[in-house]
Structures are given as structure tokens and as C-alpha cells.
Amino acid sequence: QVQLVESGGGLVQAGDSLRLSCAASGGTLSTYAVGWFRQAPGKEREVVVATTRSDVVTYYAESVKGRFTISRDNVKNTVFLEMNKLQPEDTATYYCAAEFSGSGGIYYIRAAQYHYWGQGTQVTVSS
């Protein structure tokens, strides 16, 4: 069973960048479909980006297209979320999630589709 630990959150100003990391243990993350989600106070958890096991196909929420990029380092067993041009509306707790994927071509955009979650990392963007 894979364990996920996020890091890299913080307090930044609008227009700044952050890179979130999601380090995995207990499993090989390259065999999992991975998603990044976020949840702001009083709101539902929403998908930010989701990618297939082999990153062949990636889904980005409209609100982050062109600003956020997901990537993997299979040697470090880590997934990253590069966030640029951050805006106050990006303020939320960010979670990475993983779901074992026997097929390389599937990604998941609903939180209920993921079994494994990290504890979250807070991102706060001031205006």
C-alpha cells in the first residue's frame, strides 16, 4: 500500500510560483495514476490535474490550464506540481492522490476514484 507525503506549500503573493512535491513510499508511483486536488474552506475538494500511469494523457482543470504543470521523477518516486502565476483563488489545501492502474491509459478526476491520499499541504496566495 502506497503512502504519500506532500510538501512545498506556503504563503506567497499573487503572481508568484510554488512547486509542490508528493513523495511516495511502499509502492512504485509510476504504476499509479496520480491526481492533485485542492480544497478551500467551505468548498468541495476539486481536481486540479490528473494523469495516467505513464503520463501519456493528462487532464488539467480549466482554472489552472497554462499555469500548472504536473511531472514525475520516477527515480525519486515523486510527483511534482509546478504552479505559476498563482492567484488568491488558488488558496487551498492541496492533496496528491494515487490509484493503482493496471492500464496505462486511464486517469481519474473524481476524488472517490482514488484510494491513496496524502495529508495535504497548505497554499495561501495573498493579493
Side-chain angles (χ1 to χ4, degrees):
Q1 158 169 334
V2 67
Q3 292 86 43
L4 306 173
V5 178
E6 301 99 332
S7 61
L11 172 63
V12 297
Q13 294 186 331
D16 286 350
S17 299
L18 277 176
R19 187 175 79 157
L20 306 183
S21 299
C22 174
S25 60
T28 303
L29 204 54
S30 60
T31 63
Y32 290 74
V34 173
W36 282 96
F37 289 73
R38 65 186 181 187
Q39 189 167 20
K43 294 188 177 181
E44 291 187 359
R45 191 168 297 190
E46 63 176 2
V47 66
V48 174
V49 58
T51 187
T52 58
R53 185 182 75 182
S54 55
D55 298 341
V56 172
V57 182
T58 302
Y59 167 90
Y60 287 94
E62 283 295 325
S63 59
V64 306
K65 271 184 183 178
R67 299 189 299 125
F68 291 13
T69 304
I70 190 171
S71 63
R72 296 185 194 237
D73 184 330
N74 290 333
V75 174
K76 295 182 178 179
N77 213 24
T78 300
V79 174
F80 302 98
L81 182 66
E82 185 75 32
M83 306 187 296
N84 298 314
K85 300 178 181 179
L86 283 162
Q87 298 301 316
E89 52 266 35
D90 294 317
T91 295
T93 301
Y94 283 71
Y95 300 89
C96 69
E99 179 67 16
F100 182 76
S101 176
S103 168
I106 298 175
Y107 61 77
Y108 307 101
I109 62 173
R110 291 187 294 116
Q113 294 175 302
Y114 290 89
H115 278 91
Y116 306 106
W117 291 85
Q119 83 290 350
T121 185
Q122 178 66 37
V123 173
T124 304
V125 185
S126 63
S127 57

